[in-house]
Amino acid sequence: MATAGGAAPLAMDEKARRTRDLLASFYNTDPSAAAGAAVPASLARPSPTAAPASPLDSINSISFDPDIYMNVLVQQSNLEGLLQRHVKMAAEIKNLDTDLQMLVYENYNKFISATDTIKRMKTNIVGMEANMHQLLAKITSVQSKSDTVNTSLFDKRENIEKLHRTRNLLRKVQFIYDLPTRLNKCIKTEAYADAVRFFTGVKPIFEAYGDTSFLDCKKASEEAMDLVIQHLQAKLYSDSEPIEARAEAVVLLKQLNFPVDNLKSNLLEKLEDCLLNFQNEPTQASIGDISKTFRAYLIIFPDSERRLIELAQALFSNRYETVRENLKKRIPSTDLLAMLRSLWEDATAIDEVIPEAALPAFSLETTRDIIRQHIATAFLHLQSEISEALVRTHSTSNEKLEESQLQTAMEASKIKVSQGCIDLLQEFHHLIDDNIELLVKLRDLIIDWVQEGFQDFFQKLDGHFHVLSGRSKKKSQESTMDSVQIDKVPTVLVLMLAQLCVYIEQTTVPKVTEELASSFFGGGARSYEYGPPFVPGEICRLYRSSGEKFLHHYINMKTQKISKLLNKRFTTPVWIKHKEPREVNMFVDLLLLEINGVVSEVKQILPGIVRRHRHSDSTGSTTSSRSNPMREDMLNRSNTHRARSQFLENHLAKLFEQKMEIFTKIEYTQESVISTVLKLCLKSLQEFVRLQTFNRSGFQQIQLDMEFLKTSLKEFVDDEAAISFLLKEVNNAAHERCLDPIPLEPPILDKLINAKLAKIKEENSNMR
């Protein structure tokens, strides 16, 4: 089917070509081509210039020889081939006859049609020649009469033309004399364009004859034109005039050859003053006036475009600078958006007039910096507010605090951190929810800046906490603190910072992370060369580490303060000349007072302890001097030999005692912090004892003090075993440093302790 469909167009093309060739042959347009195209290829004769062909191909040539053709054909073909050649040649001859017949018929019809047309033309032309002769006669008559009229009226026409010229000249002269009056009328009707047109038309005559014949007219006209110039200048300076009127005034002044450059300078100065007033009190209505003014100046002074671009850029630079100044104060995001929206609309309006100023691009770049500054400023203000809340607490910490005041301050600080972050997120949410075209382009960047801001905020807040605590991030200063710094920084502030770090790690950071994931997803406008902008795991690790450091720092500060007081009180008496003990030493009261202060602070800030059954948290022997009958008996001996034997026995007992774990990991609980402070203070007391030399009375005083502390410290801690062990170590240290280590008898010891307890009870009742 495809072969048959493709063969049909080829057959039609072949037929058309053959018909064309037959027509060319019939009209002899190209005899050589017609000779070759009038017959099929099998009957075509080669041209004389063609290459030599075989006899079978020369059937269409002039030198065709039928005998040679037949001989060659018979020699080269068999019977079947001759029959096929016969059938083919007969078909070609028949086709040629048919084509020639159709060609003759078609041309015959055309000849008949042409003959009929010629006959009709001859019939229509008959009678036209007579009409043409009549028309020629009439035209000749009209021409002769016209020549007769022209000849008779020639003199009168010349006279009329002369009088007409004289009349026109008189009209011009009369116009010149009437010019001052006309100019005054134009001034009254404010038709300044007509006045300028009249004057410029007469000006060449004034220049030629103004000093003679038309002197008075010239002076009067010039005086009138001076008024016109003044009125045009007033119109140009008037803000109430429309732009077209002001532009027309400049054009008229230029036609009068008035120098407009000075006017342009004055107007530009006036425009600068107008823009300055607009910066101070921008209104939505006035930006339209500014835009119209720029458009008017471009029309009036086309060469002032460069200066207008500079003024427009300066205007928006100053307005954006005003926004930057406002950012130094804490302004809500809604107020900032209102300012940016107004500036963007104004920039768009001016851009329609002066697109070369590129104000939208400038606004986009400036707004980008402003929003970034706004976000950074918001975080700085939040950090400042948190710092102020903490500083207010430690500024009042030197005064007498009520029972719940520290707890209230702690809760207020937590709320300030957590709610402050949530409030910031809500503020920043306005920036990405607004549909200003400007902010839509910056949405991804804003999300990145918010996430980066929280990362940087938490890191800087951690550094600020270290500054408030008196610590330094440098490793060289982490382990040791200057005594002056410790005295200046309230210990309660350090404890609050430790608890606040725990709160930020466990509550604030997860809450901020959740809000960022739900409302500030996307971003990615910047390349993450250093990872994602907000890494909550890193922040949590940072505050976990800082919280532990602050907690240790608080314990060290308290311990050092108590140790300094103990050292001062402990080194004051001369222990080697100490008198027989009558009551508990003053340093014990001082120690208990300081411990009470620690307990008061810790209970208000750290979470409550879980009370446990009283038991020994440490393994090993905790037998005291009062509970060991053998040791009591030995201590009651009065001879020195027995005392020295007891000294050796104590050393031997220590060798066989199991190791006791005194200092465990510090936790964020009241029990852990109080116990650690007590243990460190008792260890310091032990070292102070080792530096002294005691007589018998001095040793007995230490024994009395430690026994009283053992009774008094039970209410502070649960780990009685460790405290008892450390008290025993202090007692043993005094025993080692005593020249005559004979202890007090238990009845005397109990009597003195009970007397001290009764005295304390009485003082407390009196205070109530």
Side-chain angles (χ1 to χ4, degrees):
M1 292 299 291
T3 305
L10 294 175
M12 294 177 64
D13 294 342
E14 181 65 22
K15 183 177 180 181
R17 184 184 62 78
R18 188 164 53 197
T19 303
R20 185 173 62 253
D21 293 343
L22 287 174
L23 286 172
S25 173
F26 180 81
Y27 290 106
N28 292 325
T29 57
D30 189 1
S32 62
V39 295
S42 61
L43 303 177
R45 297 181 180 181
S47 63
T49 59
S54 64
L56 295 178
D57 297 332
S58 62
I59 189 171
N60 215 27
S61 65
I62 300 175
S63 60
F64 175 70
D65 190 345
D67 295 333
I68 296 175
Y69 179 81
M70 288 301 298
N71 291 334
V72 173
L73 187 61
V74 170
Q75 290 176 4
Q76 294 182 356
S77 304
N78 53 17
L79 180 60
E80 184 179 358
L82 291 174
L83 290 174
Q84 291 177 356
R85 180 61 64 90
H86 169 71
V87 172
K88 183 177 180 181
M89 190 173 293
E92 292 178 352
I93 292 171
K94 186 176 180 180
N95 290 334
L96 286 174
D97 291 340
T98 303
D99 293 339
L100 287 174
Q101 186 178 5
M102 292 298 296
L103 184 62
V104 171
Y105 287 160
E106 290 176 359
N107 284 283
Y108 181 72
N109 292 331
K110 294 178 181 178
F111 291 148
I112 292 175
S113 177
T115 303
D116 294 340
T117 303
I118 292 171
K119 287 181 180 180
R120 287 195 300 272
M121 290 178 62
K122 287 182 178 181
T123 303
N124 294 332
I125 292 174
V126 175
M128 186 179 292
E129 186 174 358
N131 294 331
M132 294 299 295
H133 285 300
Q134 292 178 2
L135 179 62
L136 180 60
K138 291 180 179 179
I139 291 174
T140 303
S141 175
V142 171
Q143 184 176 4
S144 62
K145 291 180 180 180
S146 176
D147 292 340
T148 303
V149 172
N150 288 335
T151 303
S152 63
L153 297 177
F154 179 75
D155 295 336
K156 293 181 180 180
R157 183 184 296 111
E158 287 292 329
N159 190 21
I160 290 172
E161 289 180 356
K162 183 177 180 181
L163 292 174
H164 183 69
R165 287 193 296 270
T166 303
R167 181 173 177 273
N168 289 338
L169 182 59
L170 290 174
R171 282 185 174 179
K172 292 180 180 179
V173 172
Q174 184 63 37
F175 181 83
I176 293 173
Y177 280 109
D178 293 341
L179 182 61
T181 305
R182 289 176 179 271
L183 293 178
N184 289 326
K185 289 183 178 179
C186 291
I187 292 173
K188 291 180 180 179
T189 58
E190 297 185 357
Y192 302 118
D194 293 338
V196 173
R197 179 167 54 84
F198 294 155
F199 183 77
T200 54
V202 177
K203 190 175 181 180
I205 298 175
F206 282 158
E207 290 177 353
Y209 306 104
D211 296 335
T212 57
S213 304
F214 303 108
L215 180 61
D216 294 336
C217 291
K218 179 183 178 182
K219 290 182 179 180
S221 299
E222 288 177 348
E223 291 175 357
M225 291 310 297
D226 290 339
L227 290 176
V228 171
I229 291 174
Q230 293 177 7
H231 286 294
L232 290 176
Q233 288 179 341
K235 181 178 289 190
L236 182 61
Y237 285 116
S238 176
D239 295 331
S240 61
E241 292 292 334
I243 300 173
E244 294 77 8
R246 298 166 72 183
E248 182 186 15
V250 174
V251 172
L252 294 177
L253 289 172
K254 287 183 178 180
Q255 291 178 3
L256 294 173
N257 295 326
F258 187 84
V260 296
D261 291 338
N262 293 334
L263 293 176
K264 180 173 70 173
S265 300
N266 294 334
L267 286 174
L268 289 176
E269 291 178 359
K270 184 177 180 182
L271 178 60
E272 291 181 11
D273 296 337
C274 179
L275 294 179
L276 182 60
N277 295 331
F278 178 72
Q279 292 176 20
N280 297 329
E281 297 180 0
T283 60
Q284 187 63 26
S286 61
I287 192 62
D289 298 337
I290 295 294
S291 177
K292 291 180 181 179
T293 303
F294 276 117
R295 181 179 284 106
Y297 277 47
L298 286 175
I299 295 173
I300 298 170
F301 306 112
D303 56 343
S304 64
E305 181 180 8
R306 187 186 187 98
R307 179 58 179 161
L308 291 176
I309 291 174
E310 294 176 354
L311 290 176
Q313 292 175 345
L315 168 65
F316 282 89
S317 296
N318 293 332
R319 292 185 66 188
Y320 277 112
E321 190 61 32
T322 303
V323 177
R324 292 181 189 274
E325 291 296 326
N326 290 332
L327 286 181
K328 295 180 180 179
K329 302 176 292 184
R330 183 72 173 93
I331 61 174
S333 296
T334 52
D335 294 348
L336 176 63
L337 288 176
M339 290 186 283
L340 293 178
R341 184 183 294 106
S342 175
L343 284 170
W344 175 252
E345 292 173 355
D346 294 351
T348 305
I350 299 297
D351 183 67
E352 294 177 357
V353 181
I354 315 178
E356 293 80 5
L359 293 179
F362 172 76
S363 297
L364 178 64
E365 189 68 24
T366 309
T367 301
R368 172 179 173 173
D369 296 338
I370 287 175
I371 291 180
R372 189 165 193 172
Q373 182 182 351
H374 170 68
I375 293 173
T377 303
F379 282 114
L380 286 177
H381 278 284
L382 177 58
Q383 177 180 330
S384 177
E385 291 172 0
I386 296 171
S387 176
E388 288 177 1
L390 293 171
V391 168
R392 280 197 302 269
T393 301
H394 92 54
S395 64
T396 59
S397 62
N398 293 328
E399 304 172 2
K400 187 175 181 180
L401 296 173
E402 297 179 0
E403 183 65 25
S404 60
Q405 188 170 351
L406 283 179
Q407 184 177 0
T408 304
M410 187 71 246
E411 293 301 322
S413 301
K414 291 179 180 179
I415 293 174
K416 179 63 69 176
V417 173
S418 183
Q419 191 60 40
C421 292
I422 299 302
D423 291 343
L424 277 189
L425 286 170
Q426 293 176 354
E427 282 282 316
F428 297 151
H429 207 278
H430 294 298
L431 299 177
I432 61 175
D433 281 349
D434 203 286
N435 56 359
I436 305 178
E437 178 185 358
L438 194 65
L439 295 181
V440 172
K441 296 178 180 179
L442 298 175
R443 185 180 187 278
D444 290 339
L445 278 174
I446 292 173
I447 292 174
D448 287 343
W449 292 335
V450 171
Q451 295 184 2
E452 289 176 358
F454 272 105
Q455 183 80 7
D456 187 59
F457 164 72
F458 283 120
Q459 291 176 347
K460 288 184 177 179
L461 184 63
D462 175 73
H464 190 65
F465 283 175
H466 282 271
V467 173
L468 291 177
S469 68
R471 291 182 53 82
S472 174
K473 284 191 173 183
K474 296 181 180 179
K475 293 183 179 179
S476 60
Q477 297 180 358
E478 280 186 353
S479 57
T480 58
M481 293 295 299
D482 186 60
S483 59
V484 178
Q485 287 182 329
I486 293 177
D487 292 338
K488 290 182 178 180
V489 178
T491 54
V492 67
L493 176 62
V494 179
L495 186 60
M496 290 179 64
L497 291 175
Q499 184 62 19
L500 198 56
C501 286
V502 176
Y503 179 79
I504 291 174
E505 175 201 352
Q506 297 179 355
T507 304
T508 305
V509 173
K511 188 180 296 184
V512 170
T513 304
E514 181 180 355
E515 288 292 330
L516 288 176
S518 62
S519 303
F520 291 86
F521 57 89
R526 68 174 183 87
S527 58
Y528 293 128
E529 298 179 359
Y530 303 100
F534 182 67
V535 186
E538 179 181 339
I539 299 299
C540 289
R541 288 192 297 271
L542 177 65
Y543 277 87
R544 187 182 306 118
S545 174
S546 296
E548 293 175 355
K549 291 178 181 178
F550 289 141
L551 193 60
H552 284 85
H553 186 42
Y554 171 79
I555 293 173
N556 290 336
M557 292 174 69
K558 279 295 183 183
T559 304
Q560 290 182 24
K561 179 182 178 182
I562 296 173
S563 297
K564 288 170 62 177
L565 294 174
L566 289 178
N567 186 29
K568 183 177 180 181
R569 293 290 183 179
F570 197 80
T571 56
T572 300
V574 181
W575 291 98
I576 199 171
K577 297 180 180 179
H578 202 279
K579 296 180 180 180
E580 184 179 350
R582 299 296 181 183
E583 61 178 355
V584 177
N585 200 326
M586 187 182 297
F587 80 85
V588 175
D589 296 333
L590 184 62
L591 175 61
L592 292 176
L593 181 63
E594 292 295 329
I595 295 299
N596 277 320
V598 174
V599 172
S600 176
E601 293 176 356
V602 169
K603 283 187 176 181
Q604 294 185 67
I605 296 176
L606 294 181
I609 60 175
V610 179
R611 303 300 297 180
R612 301 188 300 268
H613 294 292
R614 300 289 180 140
H615 66 278
S616 175
D617 292 333
S618 305
T619 59
S621 174
T622 59
T623 306
S624 66
S625 60
R626 296 178 66 187
S627 61
N628 191 335
M630 184 190 309
R631 183 164 298 176
E632 284 184 12
D633 183 62
M634 293 176 66
L635 289 174
N636 289 329
R637 307 294 177 113
S638 60
N639 54 62
T640 306
H641 179 74
R642 292 288 184 180
R644 290 176 180 175
S645 299
Q646 182 192 7
F647 177 73
L648 294 175
E649 183 180 346
N650 288 338
H651 277 280
L652 291 174
K654 289 175 64 176
L655 292 176
F656 291 100
E657 284 181 353
Q658 298 182 11
K659 293 293 183 180
M660 175 175 291
E661 187 177 0
I662 301 298
F663 299 102
T664 57
K665 182 180 179 181
I666 304 176
E667 300 176 356
Y668 291 92
T669 61
Q670 301 173 11
E671 168 68 21
S672 178
V673 173
I674 296 172
S675 297
T676 305
V677 172
L678 271 175
K679 293 173 184 177
L680 289 174
C681 291
L682 293 178
K683 288 296 291 183
S684 299
L685 183 59
Q686 180 184 354
E687 296 301 322
F688 296 152
V689 169
R690 287 178 177 175
L691 296 176
Q692 301 295 328
T693 303
F694 301 90
N695 60 1
R696 178 189 301 179
S697 298
F699 168 67
Q700 291 175 351
Q701 182 68 55
I702 296 298
Q703 180 189 4
L704 172 62
D705 297 338
M706 295 306 104
E707 286 296 328
F708 178 76
L709 284 176
K710 184 177 180 181
T711 303
S712 301
L713 295 180
K714 290 180 181 180
E715 60 182 273
F716 297 126
V717 294
D718 285 345
D719 193 4
E720 296 181 17
I723 299 299
S724 298
F725 176 79
L726 290 173
L727 291 172
K728 185 177 70 174
E729 288 295 308
V730 175
N731 199 33
N732 291 340
H735 185 276
E736 294 173 359
R737 297 294 299 170
C738 182
L739 300 177
D740 186 15
I742 298 177
L744 283 173
E745 296 181 0
I748 300 176
L749 194 62
D750 293 337
K751 180 180 178 181
L752 294 176
I753 292 175
N754 291 331
K756 180 65 176 177
L757 292 174
K759 182 179 179 181
I760 294 175
K761 185 176 180 180
E762 182 181 357
E763 291 176 353
N764 292 335
S765 62
N766 292 334
M767 291 177 61
R768 293 176 184 176

